[in-house]
Coordinates of all heavy atoms in Angstrom, one line a residue:
M869 N -0.4 26.8 13.2 CA 0.3 26.4 12.0 C 1.6 27.3 11.9 O 1.5 28.5 12.1 CB -0.6 26.6 10.8 CG 0.0 26.2 9.5 SD -1.1 26.4 8.0 CE -2.5 25.5 8.5
S870 N 2.7 26.8 11.6 CA 3.9 27.5 11.5 C 3.9 28.4 10.3 O 3.2 28.0 9.3 CB 5.1 26.6 11.6 OG 5.5 26.2 10.3
P871 N 4.6 29.5 10.2 CA 4.7 30.3 9.0 C 5.4 29.6 7.9 O 5.3 30.0 6.7 CB 5.5 31.5 9.5 CG 6.2 31.1 10.7 CD 5.4 30.0 11.3
H872 N 6.0 28.5 8.1 CA 6.7 27.7 7.1 C 5.9 26.6 6.4 O 6.3 26.0 5.5 CB 8.0 27.1 7.6 CG 9.0 28.1 8.2 ND1 9.7 28.9 7.4 CD2 9.3 28.3 9.4 CE1 10.4 29.7 8.2 NE2 10.2 29.3 9.4
T873 N 4.7 26.4 6.9 CA 3.8 25.4 6.4 C 3.0 25.9 5.3 O 2.3 26.9 5.4 CB 2.8 24.9 7.5 OG1 3.6 24.4 8.6 CG2 2.0 23.8 7.0
H874 N 3.1 25.2 4.1 CA 2.4 25.7 2.9 C 1.4 24.6 2.6 O 1.8 23.4 2.3 CB 3.3 25.9 1.8 CG 4.4 26.9 2.1 ND1 4.1 28.3 2.1 CD2 5.7 26.8 2.4 CE1 5.2 29.0 2.5 NE2 6.2 28.1 2.7
I875 N 0.1 24.9 2.5 CA -0.9 23.9 2.2 C -1.3 24.0 0.7 O -2.0 23.1 0.3 CB -2.1 23.9 3.1 CG1 -2.8 25.3 2.9 CG2 -1.7 23.7 4.6 CD1 -4.2 25.3 3.5
S876 N -0.8 25.0 0.0 CA -1.3 25.1 -1.4 C -1.0 23.9 -2.2 O -1.9 23.6 -3.1 CB -0.7 26.4 -2.0 OG 0.7 26.3 -1.9
P877 N 0.1 23.1 -2.1 CA 0.2 21.9 -2.9 C -0.9 20.9 -2.6 O -1.3 20.1 -3.5 CB 1.6 21.4 -2.5 CG 2.3 22.5 -1.9 CD 1.3 23.4 -1.3
A878 N -1.4 20.9 -1.4 CA -2.4 19.9 -1.0 C -3.8 20.2 -1.6 O -4.6 19.3 -1.7 CB -2.6 19.8 0.5
L879 N -4.0 21.4 -2.1 CA -5.3 21.8 -2.6 C -5.5 21.2 -4.0 O -6.7 21.0 -4.4 CB -5.4 23.3 -2.7 CG -5.2 24.0 -1.4 CD1 -5.3 25.5 -1.6 CD2 -6.3 23.6 -0.4
G880 N -4.5 20.8 -4.7 CA -4.7 20.2 -6.1 C -4.5 18.7 -6.2 O -4.4 18.2 -7.3
I881 N -4.4 18.0 -5.0 CA -4.2 16.6 -5.1 C -5.5 15.8 -5.0 O -6.5 16.3 -4.4 CB -3.1 16.1 -4.1 CG1 -3.6 16.3 -2.6 CG2 -1.8 16.7 -4.3 CD1 -2.7 15.8 -1.6
S882 N -5.5 14.5 -5.4 CA -6.7 13.7 -5.3 C -7.0 13.3 -3.8 O -6.1 13.4 -3.0 CB -6.5 12.5 -6.1 OG -5.5 11.6 -5.6
D883 N -8.1 12.8 -3.6 CA -8.5 12.3 -2.3 C -7.6 11.1 -1.8 O -7.2 11.1 -0.6 CB -10.0 11.8 -2.3 CG -11.0 12.9 -2.4 OD1 -10.6 14.1 -2.3 OD2 -12.1 12.6 -2.8
R884 N -7.3 10.2 -2.7 CA -6.4 9.1 -2.3 C -5.0 9.7 -2.0 O -4.4 9.2 -1.0 CB -6.3 8.1 -3.5 CG -7.5 7.2 -3.6 CD -7.3 6.2 -4.7 NE -8.5 5.4 -4.8 CZ -8.8 4.6 -5.8 NH1 -7.9 4.5 -6.7 NH2 -9.9 3.9 -5.8
A885 N -4.5 10.6 -2.7 CA -3.2 11.2 -2.5 C -3.2 11.9 -1.1 O -2.3 11.8 -0.3 CB -2.8 12.1 -3.5
F886 N -4.3 12.6 -0.8 CA -4.4 13.2 0.5 C -4.5 12.2 1.7 O -3.8 12.4 2.7 CB -5.7 14.1 0.6 CG -5.8 14.9 1.9 CD1 -5.0 16.0 2.1 CD2 -6.7 14.5 2.8 CE1 -5.0 16.7 3.3 CE2 -6.7 15.2 4.0 CZ -5.9 16.3 4.2
R887 N -5.2 11.1 1.5 CA -5.2 10.0 2.5 C -3.8 9.5 2.7 O -3.4 9.2 3.9 CB -6.1 8.9 2.1 CG -7.6 9.3 2.2 CD -8.5 8.3 1.6 NE -8.3 6.9 1.9 CZ -8.9 5.9 1.2 NH1 -9.6 6.1 0.2 NH2 -8.6 4.7 1.6
L888 N -3.1 9.2 1.7 CA -1.7 8.7 1.8 C -0.8 9.7 2.4 O 0.1 9.3 3.2 CB -1.2 8.2 0.4 CG -1.9 7.0 -0.1 CD1 -1.7 6.9 -1.6 CD2 -1.4 5.7 0.6
Y889 N -0.9 11.0 2.1 CA -0.1 12.0 2.7 C -0.4 12.1 4.2 O 0.5 12.2 5.0 CB -0.4 13.4 2.0 CG 0.4 14.5 2.6 CD1 1.8 14.6 2.3 CD2 -0.2 15.5 3.4 CE1 2.5 15.6 2.8 CE2 0.6 16.5 3.9 CZ 1.9 16.6 3.6 OH 2.7 17.6 4.1
C890 N -1.7 12.0 4.6 CA -2.0 12.0 6.0 C -1.3 10.8 6.7 O -0.8 11.0 7.8 CB -3.5 12.0 6.2 SG -4.3 13.5 5.8
H891 N -1.3 9.7 6.1 CA -0.6 8.5 6.7 C 0.8 8.8 6.9 O 1.4 8.5 7.9 CB -0.8 7.3 5.8 CG 0.0 6.1 6.2 ND1 -0.2 5.4 7.4 CD2 1.1 5.5 5.7 CE1 0.7 4.5 7.5 NE2 1.5 4.5 6.5
L892 N 1.5 9.4 5.8 CA 2.9 9.7 6.0 C 3.2 10.7 7.1 O 4.1 10.5 7.8 CB 3.4 10.3 4.6 CG 3.6 9.3 3.5 CD1 4.0 10.0 2.2 CD2 4.6 8.2 3.8
V893 N 2.3 11.7 7.2 CA 2.5 12.7 8.3 C 2.3 12.1 9.7 O 3.1 12.3 10.6 CB 1.5 13.9 8.0 CG1 1.5 14.8 9.2 CG2 1.9 14.6 6.8
L894 N 1.2 11.3 9.8 CA 0.8 10.9 11.1 C 1.5 9.6 11.6 O 1.7 9.4 12.8 CB -0.7 10.6 11.2 CG -1.5 11.9 10.9 CD1 -3.0 11.5 10.9 CD2 -1.3 12.9 12.0
E895 N 1.9 8.7 10.7 CA 2.5 7.4 11.1 C 3.9 7.1 10.7 O 4.5 6.2 11.3 CB 1.6 6.3 10.4 CG 0.1 6.4 10.8 CD -0.2 6.2 12.3 OE1 0.6 5.4 12.9 OE2 -1.1 6.7 12.8
S896 N 4.5 7.8 9.8 CA 5.8 7.4 9.3 C 7.0 7.9 10.2 O 8.1 7.4 10.1 CB 6.0 7.9 7.9 OG 6.2 9.3 7.9
N897 N 6.8 9.0 11.0 CA 7.9 9.5 11.8 C 9.1 9.9 10.9 O 10.2 9.8 11.4 CB 8.3 8.6 12.9 CG 7.2 8.4 13.9 OD1 6.5 9.3 14.2 ND2 7.1 7.1 14.4
G898 N 8.8 10.3 9.7 CA 9.9 10.7 8.8 C 10.7 9.6 8.2 O 11.6 9.9 7.4
G899 N 10.3 8.4 8.4 CA 11.0 7.2 7.9 C 10.4 6.8 6.5 O 9.4 7.3 6.1
W900 N 11.1 5.9 5.9 CA 10.6 5.3 4.6 C 9.5 4.4 4.8 O 9.5 3.5 5.7 CB 11.8 4.7 3.9 CG 12.9 5.6 3.5 CD1 14.0 5.9 4.1 CD2 12.8 6.5 2.3 NE1 14.8 6.8 3.4 CE2 14.0 7.2 2.3 CE3 11.9 6.7 1.3 CZ2 14.4 8.1 1.3 CZ3 12.2 7.6 0.3 CH2 13.4 8.3 0.3
V901 N 8.5 4.4 4.0 CA 7.3 3.5 4.0 C 7.2 2.9 2.7 O 7.3 3.6 1.6 CB 6.1 4.4 4.4 CG1 4.8 3.5 4.3 CG2 6.2 5.1 5.7
T902 N 7.0 1.6 2.6 CA 6.7 0.9 1.3 C 5.4 1.3 0.8 O 4.5 1.6 1.6 CB 6.9 -0.6 1.5 OG1 5.8 -1.1 2.3 CG2 8.2 -1.0 2.0
V903 N 5.2 1.1 -0.5 CA 4.0 1.4 -1.2 C 2.9 0.5 -0.5 O 1.8 0.9 -0.2 CB 4.0 1.2 -2.7 CG1 2.7 1.2 -3.3 CG2 5.0 2.2 -3.3
Q904 N 3.3 -0.8 -0.3 CA 2.3 -1.8 0.2 C 1.9 -1.4 1.6 O 0.7 -1.5 1.9 CB 2.9 -3.2 0.2 CG 1.9 -4.3 0.6 CD 0.8 -4.4 -0.4 OE1 1.0 -4.5 -1.6 NE2 -0.5 -4.2 0.0
D905 N 2.8 -1.0 2.5 CA 2.4 -0.6 3.8 C 1.5 0.6 3.8 O 0.5 0.7 4.6 CB 3.6 -0.3 4.7 CG 4.4 -1.6 5.0 OD1 3.8 -2.7 4.9 OD2 5.6 -1.4 5.4
A906 N 1.8 1.6 3.0 CA 0.9 2.8 2.9 C -0.4 2.4 2.3 O -1.5 2.9 2.8 CB 1.6 3.9 2.0
A907 N -0.5 1.5 1.3 CA -1.8 1.1 0.8 C -2.6 0.4 1.8 O -3.8 0.6 1.9 CB -1.5 0.2 -0.4
D908 N -2.0 -0.5 2.5 CA -2.7 -1.3 3.6 C -3.3 -0.3 4.6 O -4.4 -0.5 5.1 CB -1.8 -2.3 4.3 CG -1.4 -3.5 3.3 OD1 -2.1 -3.6 2.3 OD2 -0.4 -4.2 3.7
A909 N -2.5 0.7 5.0 CA -2.9 1.6 6.1 C -4.1 2.4 5.6 O -5.0 2.8 6.4 CB -1.8 2.5 6.5
C910 N -4.2 2.7 4.3 CA -5.3 3.5 3.7 C -6.4 2.7 3.1 O -7.3 3.2 2.4 CB -4.7 4.5 2.8 SG -3.6 5.7 3.5
N911 N -6.4 1.4 3.3 CA -7.4 0.5 2.8 C -7.4 0.5 1.3 O -8.5 0.6 0.7 CB -8.7 0.7 3.4 CG -9.7 -0.4 3.3 OD1 -9.2 -1.6 3.1 ND2 -11.0 -0.2 3.3
L912 N -6.3 0.5 0.6 CA -6.2 0.5 -0.9 C -5.3 -0.7 -1.3 O -4.6 -1.2 -0.5 CB -5.5 1.8 -1.3 CG -6.1 3.2 -1.0 CD1 -5.1 4.3 -1.3 CD2 -7.4 3.4 -1.7
T913 N -5.5 -1.0 -2.6 CA -4.5 -2.0 -3.1 C -3.2 -1.3 -3.5 O -3.1 -0.1 -3.6 CB -5.1 -2.7 -4.4 OG1 -5.2 -1.7 -5.4 CG2 -6.5 -3.3 -4.0
N914 N -2.2 -2.1 -3.7 CA -0.9 -1.6 -4.1 C -1.0 -0.8 -5.4 O -0.5 0.3 -5.5 CB 0.0 -2.8 -4.4 CG 1.4 -2.5 -4.6 OD1 1.7 -1.6 -5.4 ND2 2.3 -3.2 -4.0
H915 N -1.8 -1.2 -6.3 CA -2.0 -0.5 -7.6 C -2.8 0.8 -7.4 O -2.5 1.7 -8.1 CB -2.6 -1.4 -8.7 CG -1.7 -2.5 -9.0 ND1 -0.6 -2.4 -9.8 CD2 -1.7 -3.9 -8.7 CE1 0.1 -3.6 -9.9 NE2 -0.6 -4.5 -9.3
Q916 N -3.7 0.8 -6.5 CA -4.5 2.0 -6.2 C -3.6 3.1 -5.6 O -4.0 4.3 -5.7 CB -5.7 1.7 -5.4 CG -6.8 0.9 -6.1 CD -7.9 0.5 -5.1 OE1 -7.6 0.2 -3.9 NE2 -9.1 0.5 -5.6
A917 N -2.6 2.7 -4.9 CA -1.8 3.6 -4.2 C -0.6 4.2 -5.0 O -0.1 5.3 -4.7 CB -1.2 3.0 -2.9
R918 N -0.2 3.5 -6.0 CA 1.0 4.0 -6.8 C 0.8 5.3 -7.5 O 1.7 6.2 -7.4 CB 1.3 2.9 -7.8 CG 2.0 1.7 -7.2 CD 2.4 0.7 -8.3 NE 3.0 -0.5 -7.6 CZ 4.2 -0.5 -7.2 NH1 5.0 0.5 -7.3 NH2 4.7 -1.6 -6.6
E919 N -0.3 5.5 -8.2 CA -0.5 6.8 -8.8 C -0.6 8.0 -7.9 O 0.0 9.0 -8.1 CB -1.7 6.8 -9.8 CG -1.9 8.0 -10.6 CD -3.0 7.9 -11.6 OE1 -3.4 6.8 -11.9 OE2 -3.4 9.0 -12.1
P920 N -1.4 7.8 -6.8 CA -1.5 8.9 -5.8 C -0.1 9.2 -5.1 O 0.2 10.4 -4.9 CB -2.5 8.5 -4.8 CG -3.4 7.5 -5.5 CD -2.5 6.9 -6.5
L921 N 0.7 8.2 -4.9 CA 2.0 8.5 -4.3 C 2.9 9.2 -5.3 O 3.7 10.1 -4.9 CB 2.6 7.2 -3.8 CG 2.0 6.6 -2.5 CD1 2.5 5.2 -2.3 CD2 2.4 7.5 -1.3
S922 N 2.8 8.8 -6.6 CA 3.5 9.6 -7.6 C 3.1 11.0 -7.7 O 3.8 11.9 -7.9 CB 3.4 8.9 -9.0 OG 4.0 7.7 -8.9
E923 N 1.8 11.2 -7.5 CA 1.2 12.5 -7.5 C 1.8 13.4 -6.4 O 2.1 14.6 -6.5 CB -0.3 12.4 -7.3 CG -1.1 13.6 -7.5 CD -2.6 13.3 -7.3 OE1 -3.1 12.2 -7.5 OE2 -3.4 14.3 -6.9
L924 N 2.0 12.8 -5.2 CA 2.6 13.5 -4.0 C 4.0 13.8 -4.4 O 4.5 14.9 -4.0 CB 2.5 12.6 -2.8 CG 1.2 12.4 -2.1 CD1 1.3 11.4 -1.0 CD2 0.6 13.7 -1.7
R925 N 4.7 12.9 -5.0 CA 6.1 13.1 -5.3 C 6.2 14.3 -6.3 O 7.1 15.2 -6.2 CB 6.8 11.9 -6.0 CG 8.3 12.0 -6.1 CD 8.9 10.8 -6.8 NE 8.4 10.8 -8.2 CZ 7.7 9.7 -8.7 NH1 7.5 8.7 -8.0 NH2 7.3 9.7 -9.9
E926 N 5.4 14.4 -7.3 CA 5.4 15.4 -8.3 C 5.1 16.8 -7.7 O 5.5 17.8 -8.2 CB 4.4 15.1 -9.5 CG 4.9 14.0 -10.3 CD 3.9 13.4 -11.3 OE1 2.8 14.1 -11.5 OE2 4.1 12.4 -11.9
A927 N 4.2 16.8 -6.7 CA 3.8 18.0 -6.0 C 4.9 18.4 -5.0 O 4.8 19.5 -4.4 CB 2.5 17.8 -5.3
G928 N 5.9 17.6 -4.8 CA 7.0 18.0 -3.8 C 6.6 17.7 -2.4 O 7.2 18.2 -1.5
M929 N 5.5 16.9 -2.2 CA 5.1 16.6 -0.9 C 5.6 15.3 -0.3 O 5.4 14.9 0.8 CB 3.5 16.5 -0.9 CG 2.9 17.9 -1.3 SD 1.1 17.8 -1.5 CE 0.6 17.5 0.2
A930 N 6.3 14.5 -1.2 CA 6.9 13.2 -0.8 C 8.1 13.0 -1.7 O 8.2 13.6 -2.7 CB 5.9 12.1 -0.9
E931 N 9.0 12.1 -1.2 CA 10.1 11.7 -2.0 C 10.1 10.2 -2.1 O 9.6 9.6 -1.2 CB 11.5 12.3 -1.5 CG 11.8 12.0 -0.1 CD 13.0 12.8 0.4 OE1 13.4 13.8 -0.2 OE2 13.7 12.3 1.3
S932 N 10.8 9.6 -3.1 CA 10.7 8.2 -3.2 C 12.1 7.7 -3.5 O 13.0 8.4 -3.9 CB 9.8 7.8 -4.4 OG 10.3 8.2 -5.6
R933 N 12.3 6.4 -3.3 CA 13.5 5.7 -3.7 C 13.1 4.2 -4.0 O 12.1 3.7 -3.5 CB 14.5 5.7 -2.6 CG 14.1 4.8 -1.4 CD 15.2 4.7 -0.3 NE 14.7 3.8 0.7 CZ 15.4 3.6 1.8 NH1 16.6 4.1 2.0 NH2 14.9 2.8 2.7
R934 N 13.9 3.6 -4.9 CA 13.7 2.2 -5.2 C 14.8 1.4 -4.6 O 16.0 1.8 -4.6 CB 13.8 2.0 -6.7 CG 12.6 2.6 -7.5 CD 12.7 2.3 -9.0 NE 12.8 0.8 -9.2 CZ 13.1 0.3 -10.4 NH1 13.3 1.1 -11.4 NH2 13.1 -1.0 -10.5
V935 N 14.4 0.3 -4.0 CA 15.4 -0.5 -3.2 C 15.2 -2.0 -3.7 O 14.1 -2.5 -3.9 CB 15.1 -0.5 -1.7 CG1 16.0 -1.4 -0.9 CG2 15.1 0.9 -1.2
Y936 N 16.4 -2.6 -4.1 CA 16.4 -4.0 -4.5 C 16.6 -4.8 -3.3 O 17.6 -4.9 -2.7 CB 17.6 -4.2 -5.5 CG 17.5 -5.4 -6.3 CD1 16.5 -5.7 -7.1 CD2 18.6 -6.3 -6.2 CE1 16.4 -6.9 -7.8 CE2 18.6 -7.5 -6.9 CZ 17.5 -7.8 -7.7 OH 17.5 -8.9 -8.5
E937 N 15.5 -5.5 -2.9 CA 15.5 -6.2 -1.6 C 14.7 -7.5 -1.7 O 14.0 -7.7 -2.7 CB 15.0 -5.4 -0.4 CG 13.6 -4.9 -0.6 CD 13.1 -3.9 0.4 OE1 13.9 -3.5 1.2 OE2 12.0 -3.5 0.3
M938 N 14.8 -8.3 -0.7 CA 14.1 -9.6 -0.7 C 12.6 -9.4 -0.6 O 12.1 -8.7 0.2 CB 14.6 -10.4 0.5 CG 14.2 -11.9 0.5 SD 15.0 -12.8 -0.9 CE 16.7 -12.8 -0.4
G939 N 11.9 -10.1 -1.5 CA 10.5 -10.0 -1.6 C 9.8 -11.1 -0.7 O 10.5 -11.9 0.0
A940 N 8.5 -11.1 -0.7 CA 7.8 -12.0 0.1 C 7.9 -13.5 -0.3 O 7.7 -14.4 0.5 CB 6.3 -11.6 0.1
H941 N 8.3 -13.7 -1.5 CA 8.5 -15.1 -2.0 C 9.9 -15.6 -2.1 O 10.2 -16.5 -2.7 CB 7.9 -15.1 -3.5 CG 6.4 -14.8 -3.5 ND1 5.4 -15.6 -3.0 CD2 5.8 -13.7 -4.0 CE1 4.3 -15.0 -3.1 NE2 4.5 -13.9 -3.7
G942 N 10.8 -14.9 -1.3 CA 12.2 -15.3 -1.2 C 13.1 -14.9 -2.4 O 14.2 -15.5 -2.5
R943 N 12.6 -14.1 -3.3 CA 13.4 -13.6 -4.4 C 13.6 -12.1 -4.2 O 12.8 -11.4 -3.8 CB 12.7 -13.9 -5.7 CG 12.6 -15.3 -6.0 CD 12.0 -15.5 -7.5 NE 10.8 -14.7 -7.6 CZ 9.6 -15.2 -8.0 NH1 9.5 -16.5 -8.3 NH2 8.6 -14.5 -8.1
K944 N 14.8 -11.7 -4.7 CA 15.0 -10.2 -4.7 C 14.2 -9.5 -5.8 O 14.0 -10.0 -6.9 CB 16.5 -9.9 -5.0 CG 17.4 -10.2 -3.7 CD 18.6 -9.4 -3.8 CE 19.2 -9.4 -2.4 NZ 20.1 -8.3 -2.2
T945 N 13.6 -8.4 -5.4 CA 12.8 -7.6 -6.3 C 12.9 -6.1 -5.9 O 13.4 -5.8 -4.9 CB 11.3 -8.1 -6.2 OG1 10.6 -7.4 -7.3 CG2 10.7 -7.8 -4.9
W946 N 12.4 -5.3 -6.8 CA 12.4 -3.8 -6.6 C 11.2 -3.4 -5.7 O 10.1 -3.8 -6.1 CB 12.4 -3.0 -7.9 CG 13.7 -3.1 -8.6 CD1 14.0 -3.9 -9.7 CD2 14.9 -2.4 -8.3 NE1 15.3 -3.6 -10.1 CE2 15.9 -2.7 -9.3 CE3 15.3 -1.5 -7.3 CZ2 17.2 -2.3 -9.2 CZ3 16.6 -1.0 -7.3 CH2 17.5 -1.4 -8.2
H947 N 11.5 -2.7 -4.7 CA 10.4 -2.1 -3.9 C 10.5 -0.6 -3.9 O 11.7 -0.1 -3.8 CB 10.4 -2.6 -2.4 CG 10.0 -4.1 -2.3 ND1 10.7 -5.0 -1.6 CD2 9.0 -4.7 -2.8 CE1 10.1 -6.1 -1.7 NE2 9.1 -6.0 -2.4
V948 N 9.4 0.1 -4.0 CA 9.5 1.6 -3.9 C 9.1 2.0 -2.5 O 8.1 1.5 -1.9 CB 8.5 2.2 -5.0 CG1 8.5 3.7 -4.9 CG2 8.9 1.7 -6.4
H949 N 9.8 2.9 -1.9 CA 9.6 3.5 -0.6 C 9.3 5.0 -0.7 O 9.9 5.6 -1.6 CB 10.8 3.3 0.3 CG 11.1 1.8 0.6 ND1 11.3 1.3 1.8 CD2 11.3 0.8 -0.3 CE1 11.6 0.1 1.7 NE2 11.6 -0.3 0.5
F950 N 8.5 5.5 0.1 CA 8.2 6.9 0.1 C 8.4 7.5 1.5 O 8.2 6.7 2.5 CB 6.7 7.2 -0.3 CG 6.5 7.1 -1.8 CD1 6.3 5.9 -2.4 CD2 6.4 8.2 -2.6 CE1 6.1 5.8 -3.8 CE2 6.3 8.1 -3.9 CZ 6.0 6.9 -4.5
R951 N 8.6 8.8 1.6 CA 8.7 9.5 2.9 C 8.4 10.9 2.6 O 8.5 11.4 1.5 CB 10.0 9.3 3.6 CG 11.2 10.0 3.0 CD 12.4 9.9 3.8 NE 13.5 10.6 3.1 CZ 14.7 10.5 3.5 NH1 15.1 9.8 4.6 NH2 15.7 11.2 2.9
L952 N 8.2 11.7 3.7 CA 8.0 13.1 3.6 C 9.4 13.7 3.2 O 10.4 13.1 3.6 CB 7.6 13.7 4.9 CG 6.2 13.3 5.4 CD1 5.9 13.8 6.8 CD2 5.1 13.8 4.4
P953 N 9.5 14.8 2.5 CA 10.7 15.5 2.3 C 11.4 15.8 3.6 O 10.7 16.2 4.6 CB 10.4 16.8 1.5 CG 9.0 16.5 0.9 CD 8.3 15.5 1.9
Q954 N 12.7 15.7 3.6 CA 13.5 16.0 4.9 C 13.2 17.3 5.5 O 13.2 17.4 6.7 CB 15.0 15.8 4.6 CG 15.3 14.3 4.5 CD 14.9 13.5 5.7 OE1 13.8 12.9 5.7 NE2 15.8 13.4 6.6
E955 N 13.1 18.4 4.7 CA 12.8 19.7 5.3 C 11.5 19.7 6.0 O 11.3 20.4 7.0 CB 12.9 20.8 4.3 CG 11.9 20.8 3.2 CD 12.4 19.9 2.0 OE1 13.4 19.3 2.1 OE2 11.6 19.8 1.0
T956 N 10.5 18.9 5.6 CA 9.2 18.9 6.3 C 9.3 18.2 7.6 O 8.8 18.7 8.6 CB 8.2 18.1 5.4 OG1 8.1 18.7 4.1 CG2 6.8 18.1 6.0
T957 N 10.0 17.1 7.7 CA 10.2 16.4 9.0 C 11.0 17.2 10.0 O 10.7 17.2 11.1 CB 10.8 15.0 8.8 OG1 12.0 15.1 8.1 CG2 9.8 14.1 8.0
S958 N 12.0 17.9 9.5 CA 12.8 18.7 10.4 C 12.0 19.9 11.0 O 12.2 20.3 12.1 CB 14.1 19.2 9.8 OG 13.8 20.0 8.7
E959 N 11.1 20.5 10.1 CA 10.3 21.6 10.6 C 9.2 21.1 11.6 O 9.0 21.8 12.6 CB 9.5 22.2 9.4 CG 10.4 23.1 8.6 CD 9.6 23.6 7.3 OE1 8.4 23.4 7.3 OE2 10.2 24.2 6.5
A960 N 8.7 19.9 11.4 CA 7.8 19.3 12.3 C 8.4 19.1 13.7 O 7.7 19.2 14.7 CB 7.1 18.1 11.7
A961 N 9.6 18.6 13.7 CA 10.3 18.4 14.9 C 10.7 19.6 15.7 O 10.8 19.6 16.9 CB 11.6 17.6 14.7
A962 N 10.8 20.7 15.0 CA 11.2 22.0 15.7 C 10.1 22.6 16.5 O 9.0 22.3 16.5 CB 11.7 23.0 14.7

């Protein structure tokens, strides 16, 4: 473990948030992941994943953005994307 890795924020998060964080670390390669993709990967519904992802954002373990893009039904809608904070991904690459 590098001296820059801090696990203390992970000690206070829920099990679902930890599962979603592991997905972001292992599968996202630092890129943006939709709530639905993260939920599917962790065998959760979209609504079950939203609160734990917000929990990660509040703990500083993830960042989010809202994107107005085409939805599955051919209409534009808001989608929320999450990713690891940039300093985390740059430390992992080093």
Side-chain angles (χ1 to χ4, degrees):
M869 186 180 304
S870 88
H872 301 289
T873 303
H874 302 284
I875 64 165
S876 56
L879 300 177
I881 62 174
S882 67
D883 292 343
R884 285 182 180 168
F886 184 74
R887 286 169 50 194
L888 290 161
Y889 181 71
C890 289
H891 171 69
L892 288 175
V893 169
L894 297 173
E895 302 294 330
S896 71
N897 295 323
W900 293 99
V901 177
T902 65
V903 172
Q904 188 63 55
D905 289 341
D908 290 344
C910 295
N911 200 24
L912 300 170
T913 66
N914 186 314
H915 294 287
Q916 289 173 325
R918 288 185 180 278
E919 186 175 341
L921 285 168
S922 293
E923 190 179 335
L924 290 175
R925 189 184 67 238
E926 290 169 10
M929 299 172 69
E931 55 188 26
S932 66
R933 70 174 182 181
R934 287 182 60 189
V935 178
Y936 194 60
E937 61 189 3
M938 193 65 68
H941 300 290
R943 293 186 306 235
K944 285 206 163 202
T945 187
W946 288 103
H947 289 133
V948 179
H949 297 231
F950 282 83
R951 72 174 177 188
L952 296 173
Q954 286 302 91
E955 62 274 1
T956 304
T957 54
S958 61
E959 285 176 7

